[in-house]
Amino acid sequence: MEYNELKISNTKENAKKKIITALIVFAVVIIAGAIASVAVIAKNEKKQEESAAMSSAIPGLTGDCSFFVAAVEDNKTDVDFALIIRAQLYNKTFVIMPIDINKKYDENGSRSLTDSYKNGGIMEMNEAAKKITGISTDRYIRVTRSGLAMIFGELGHVVFNIESPITLNVSEGIVSIPAGERELDYEEITDYLIKGSKENNNLDFLADNVTVIMKQYLSSVNYENTDKLFNTLINNIDTDITASDYFSAKDCIKAFESTTFVFKSEF
């Protein structure tokens, strides 16, 4: 169903909710392009108080949110990677937190994120991620390989610094990518991200390249075209993000256009 076919409530949102939802939509549009993500945030009151005193904070926007992102194969049974992304408006920072999908988290040491997903889908996997990291996320998103490629296709090419020659699987066959600074298209980005992350469960690779993708999309996104981006996103993922979340925040989203964000990784 297209987002514009959905019935959106005309109930007036309060200012605080709109501010928070603006962050959500921004993260959805940008991060989902890189991987995925988000919706209604629970504010951290302490962080709000801190941000009010910070001259470096984004004017009129405060808050903190986190969202769980899982990428799976098109068969929807094999997990490619998982991470939590924390968006902190009070200091204009995105924290990328890759999660070991094979790490055993239960008392018996018998269940991993991958096991949880196969047993109970994205909802159980999200709960497992909370047990592993101690972080209760505000929203979740599951995206398949083909869905990820569709989103990258909408957002555009990305330039990576390829450390050593690689081969990537795309619809036309296998392509060889030499080392160096290379611009990859939507299929190449998808395979590069998944292949590199799954190789020896490389969490550093995942964190570094999600950061690369987010930075480049942040600098190039068309803020006048967010309707189309959101529509592409919402039709290619499984999420608890809603059209209502998006429409209630559109009048705030421009605040991000001139903002410089900081990125960091945590494991």
Side-chain angles (χ1 to χ4, degrees):
M1 179 179 291
E2 299 289 319
Y3 69 86
N4 56 7
E5 293 177 355
L6 299 177
K7 182 178 180 181
I8 308 302
S9 172
N10 291 323
T11 302
K12 183 177 180 181
E13 302 287 343
N14 62 50
K16 288 185 178 180
K17 182 177 179 181
K18 285 190 176 183
I19 286 169
I20 293 175
T21 312
L23 169 61
I24 296 165
V25 173
F26 175 75
V28 168
V29 170
I30 304 304
I31 298 170
I35 304 180
S37 19
V38 87
V40 183
I41 311 165
K43 274 198 171 183
N44 183 315
E45 295 299 327
K46 181 178 180 181
K47 296 285 178 64
Q48 290 180 49
E49 293 170 3
E50 292 173 354
S51 66
M54 293 178 62
S55 60
S56 62
I58 303 169
L61 296 176
T62 61
D64 187 336
C65 77
S66 61
F67 41 95
F68 177 68
V69 179
V72 302
E73 286 297 315
D74 289 337
N75 60 19
K76 298 184 180 180
T77 58
D78 298 325
V79 179
D80 292 321
F81 60 78
L83 71 160
I84 289 174
I85 300 177
R86 302 187 69 179
Q88 301 170 333
L89 282 184
Y90 65 94
N91 63 1
K92 298 183 289 189
T93 299
F94 281 105
V95 183
I96 314 300
M97 304 178 65
I99 307 173
D100 185 345
I101 60 175
N102 298 314
K103 181 178 180 179
K104 305 298 182 181
Y105 67 87
D106 63 327
E107 294 180 356
N108 299 322
S110 60
R111 176 163 290 190
S112 65
L113 274 185
T114 299
D115 297 326
S116 294
Y117 178 71
K118 291 181 177 180
N119 182 67
I122 186 63
M123 298 299 292
E124 184 170 322
M125 191 184 190
N126 191 19
E127 286 299 311
K130 178 180 178 181
K131 293 179 181 178
I132 293 172
T133 64
I135 296 173
S136 180
T137 55
D138 299 292
R139 284 294 187 271
Y140 68 82
I141 187 168
R142 184 195 69 176
V143 60
T144 62
R145 176 186 285 266
S146 59
L148 194 57
M150 287 288 293
I151 295 167
F152 285 139
E154 186 66 46
L155 286 163
H157 294 190
V158 174
V159 176
F160 296 92
N161 184 17
I162 308 295
E163 294 185 358
S164 57
I166 57 172
T167 57
L168 299 175
N169 297 315
V170 297
S171 58
E172 296 181 355
I174 297 176
V175 296
S176 297
I177 308 294
E181 193 172 88
R182 306 295 174 189
E183 182 179 279
L184 304 186
D185 68 19
Y186 68 103
E187 287 187 315
E188 293 167 344
I189 299 169
T190 304
D191 199 52
Y192 178 63
L193 191 63
I194 291 174
K195 182 175 290 185
S197 302
K198 294 181 77 171
E199 184 176 330
N200 300 319
N201 198 23
N202 195 333
L203 301 184
D204 286 323
F205 176 92
L206 182 58
D208 290 346
N209 286 284
V210 167
T211 297
V212 168
I213 294 169
M214 289 177 63
K215 282 183 175 179
Q216 290 186 46
Y217 284 150
L218 279 167
S219 65
S220 63
V221 68
N222 181 357
Y223 286 83
E224 302 298 330
N225 195 34
T226 55
D227 283 3
K228 184 178 180 182
L229 292 176
F230 182 74
N231 189 45
T232 299
L233 169 70
I234 211 69
N235 285 304
N236 285 285
I237 59 174
D238 173 24
T239 184
D240 50 359
I241 302 163
T242 69
S244 179
D245 293 328
Y246 173 71
F247 280 97
S248 66
K250 285 189 65 177
D251 59 348
C252 299
I253 200 169
K254 292 284 286 184
F256 294 93
E257 189 169 8
S258 58
T259 301
T260 299
F261 288 91
V262 173
F263 293 84
K264 63 181 183 179
S265 303
E266 292 181 5
F267 297 91

